[in-house]
Structures are given as structure tokens and as C-alpha cells.
Amino acid sequence: MGQSLVKNVIHITFSTKYRQPLISESIESELFAYVGGVCNKLECQTIIVGGYTDHVHIACFLSKKIALMKLMEEVKGHSSKWIKTKGPEFENFYWQNGYGAFSFQSNEIDVLVNYIQRQKEHHHKISFQEEFRILMKENDIEYDEKYVWD
């Protein structure tokens, strides 16, 4: 086969350090757009970026030219530096060290988009930690609680 044909839909989520509620309504849309822009510059076409006060969800097509780890390094590094320029209330903004990433069927993108769009409503009922545990269980990922949270 002469060409590489790839379509990897990825759902990525990660929180602020210690899940501090630092993503205020005043900055969230700009932050989500910035995160999406970083993904797009790395040829990882953004489907949607959303989240809540203490975490972000990204749905994108992972480029065949970049490893997921490199994408996360770039997204988290650039967005953390960027948000710190947005005012003194963000000078201590940091992302958690890790992340969760899950493959998704391309024919179910609408389900993923709806899920990310409804984050505010969703988190009136459960915390990010509870949500993350559910995602891990749904994706059959084994983990040790003492290494997940920072």
C-alpha cells in the first residue's frame, strides 16, 4: 500500500493541578479555543473542546504525524503558559501531570460531542474524579488511585 490512511478519533481529558476550579466562565471559551488551536496547528483536527471549572475534554482526530504524548505535551505546555498571561488570577495555573485518552468510533462522534457540550450540567451531579473513574471503567483501563491524582 503506497499511502497511510488513518482516522483516529481521540477523547482526551485532564484536570487542573489538584483539580482547582481555575477555569472560570470569563476565560473558558477563550481557553477551549486556544487548546483547539494548538491541536489544529499539530494537524490534529479539533472536533470540540469543552470542560468545566477544573478540567478539559478534547475530541480530535489524532494526526498520523504525531504521538499522543507529544500532542499532550504541546497542548498542556502552550495553554498553561498562555493562560498565565491572562491576569493575576491565573499566575498559579497548572495542569495535572497525567491525562486520560480514549479511542472513539468515528460513527459515534455525535455522542462524544454531546457529552462534551453537556459538561456543566453533568458536573452538577458528579465530580471530575468520579467522571474519570467511570471513563476508566468504560474503557477497561486498570489503574491505581494513588498514581492518578496530583
Side-chain angles (χ1 to χ4, degrees), residues 9 11 46-50 57-61 104-106 108-119:
V9 180
H11 174 202
T46 302
I47 300 165
I48 187 172
V49 178
H57 290 266
I58 302 168
C60 68
F61 295 99
F104 222 84
Q105 296 283 12
S106 59
E108 292 192 6
I109 290 174
D110 57 333
V111 173
L112 180 56
V113 167
N114 185 49
Y115 178 78
I116 293 173
Q117 286 175 331
R118 300 182 71 196
Q119 282 294 295

Side-chain angles (χ1 to χ4, degrees), residues 37-77:
V38 174
C39 291
N40 291 337
K41 282 184 182 177
L42 296 169
E43 298 181 36
C44 295
Q45 180 189 352
T46 302
I47 300 165
I48 187 172
V49 178
Y52 196 54
T53 59
D54 62 351
H55 69 283
V56 168
H57 290 266
I58 302 168
C60 68
F61 295 99
L62 182 64
S63 171
K64 64 184 175 187
K65 298 178 182 179
I66 190 168
L68 177 60
M69 180 180 73
K70 182 66 175 170
L71 173 63
M72 293 296 25
E73 181 182 297
E74 295 291 320
V75 165
K76 290 167 84 175

Side-chain angles (χ1 to χ4, degrees), residues 94-105:
Y94 297 95
W95 294 117
Q96 73 171 110
N97 288 324
Y99 59 89
F102 317 98
S103 59
F104 222 84
Q105 296 283 12

